[in-house]
């Protein structure tokens, strides 16, 4: 289990970003394109520090002991080591999954496809943009077991130039936009997997605590409903139907009779 929280968003220069991360770290280089295959400007970078990389490799290779002291001897030893080809192959899959999350996070604003281009372990040799180019640095805090660390996403300013007109709140929540058939199908597809509780109550009774404490097997409790009266059926605790109890194929069952009047917003 991983806990991820947004720590900060700030605008800095690319050079400041490079000097704020370890001298040996893992950087995933991504590019994005719009749904019509128009490439978006700039290279997006995901920086995963060596401590987190080694923890992920340990867990993905079957390790179950997530005590930080047993994953690596020391942080300095990790900082000075180079990643092996096997470790990079494992971590490439992790970075690809992060790219999918990045792509999906933009879907309400713009449809895009994000792909991993390459992995780099020496930020000092990166020449993807000029040192003074402004970038947006988004930092997340990540908790894995007893280990707390950071994950950085670096996005150059030119990335936003082509979609700046879509970044206003007015475009996100424009009530004048009509719901398309695709939106309706997507909403229905999402709701189909939502679990709801469905229960039918035979009735209820009230009694004093003294009577409750003296209950024994075989005692009869009188409910507030006649045996011939329809039963209330609840969906997520809200009464929706009246039903008649019975059996079907040897199992207890209820037959829905009428729909109860309720708040239309609850339906």
């Amino acid at each position: 289990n991983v806990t991820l929280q947004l720590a900060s968003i700030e605008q800095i220069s690319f050079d400041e970003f490079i000097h704020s991360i370890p001298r040996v770290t893992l950087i995933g280089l991504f590019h994005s394109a719009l749904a019509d295959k128009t490439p978006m400007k700039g290279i997006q970078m995901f920086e995963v520090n060596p401590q987190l990389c080694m923890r992920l490799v340990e867990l993905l290779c079957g390790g179950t002991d997530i005590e930080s002291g047993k994953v690596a001897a020391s942080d300095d030893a990790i900082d000075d080591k180079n990643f092996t080809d096997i470790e990079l192959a494992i971590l490439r899959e992790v970075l690809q999954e992060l790219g999918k999350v990045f792509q999906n996070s933009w879907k309400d604003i713009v449809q895009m496809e994000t792909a991993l281009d390459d992995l780099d372990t020496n930020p000092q040799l990166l020449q993807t943009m000029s040192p003074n180019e402004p970038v947006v640095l988004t930092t997340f805090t990540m908790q894995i077991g007893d280990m707390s660390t950071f994950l950085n996403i670096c996005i150059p300013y030119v990335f936003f130039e082509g979609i700046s007109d879509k970044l206003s709140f007015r475009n996100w929540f424009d009530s004048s936009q009509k719901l398309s058939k695709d939106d309706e199908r997507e909403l229905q597809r999402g709701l189909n997997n939502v679990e709801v509780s469905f229960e039918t109550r035979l009735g209820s009774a009230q009694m004093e605590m003294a009577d409750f404490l003296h209950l024994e097997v075989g005692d009869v409790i009188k409910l507030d409903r006649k045996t011939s009266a329809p039963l209330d059926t609840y969906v997520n605790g809200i009464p929706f139907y009246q039903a008649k109890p019975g059996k079907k194929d040897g199992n207890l069952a209820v037959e829905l009779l009428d729909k109860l009047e309720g708040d239309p917003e609850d339906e």
Side-chain angles (χ1 to χ4, degrees), residues 103-176:
Q103 170 183 307
N104 292 334
S105 67
W106 285 94
K107 66 179 182 179
D108 292 333
I109 302 173
V110 61
Q111 295 291 333
M112 68 170 65
E113 295 181 0
T114 301
L116 177 63
D117 292 330
D118 198 7
L119 298 179
D120 205 313
T121 59
N122 190 343
Q124 305 298 326
L125 299 180
L126 285 176
Q127 297 180 351
T128 56
M129 61 188 81
S130 64
N132 295 325
E133 183 164 353
V135 299
V136 173
L137 177 61
T138 306
T139 301
F140 295 89
T141 58
M142 182 180 290
Q143 185 78 32
I144 303 181
D146 64 339
M147 177 184 183
S148 181
T149 185
F150 295 95
L151 172 69
N152 291 314
I153 302 178
C154 176
I155 308 175
Y157 173 77
V158 294
F159 172 85
F160 303 98
E161 287 183 342
I163 58 173
S164 58
D165 59 323
K166 303 179 184 296
L167 296 180
S168 68
F169 284 102
R170 180 179 300 177
N171 289 333
W172 296 4
F173 305 106
D174 187 358
S175 59
S176 65

Side-chain angles (χ1 to χ4, degrees), residues 175-227:
S175 59
S176 65
Q177 296 181 359
K178 295 182 179 180
L179 194 65
S180 67
K181 292 296 183 181
D182 291 338
D183 293 332
E184 291 180 359
R185 285 193 292 268
E186 187 67 24
L187 179 60
Q188 182 177 4
R189 190 181 301 112
L191 290 176
N192 284 339
N193 296 324
V194 176
E195 295 185 358
V196 295
S197 64
F198 193 89
E199 60 178 323
T200 300
R201 300 179 185 176
L202 297 177
S204 60
Q206 289 185 342
M207 64 176 60
E208 296 180 354
M209 179 61 72
D211 295 331
F212 172 76
L213 294 175
H214 288 89
L215 286 177
E216 296 180 357
V217 176
D219 289 348
V220 176
I221 301 175
K222 183 178 179 181
L223 303 180
D224 61 351
R225 189 179 297 270
K226 294 183 178 180
T227 56

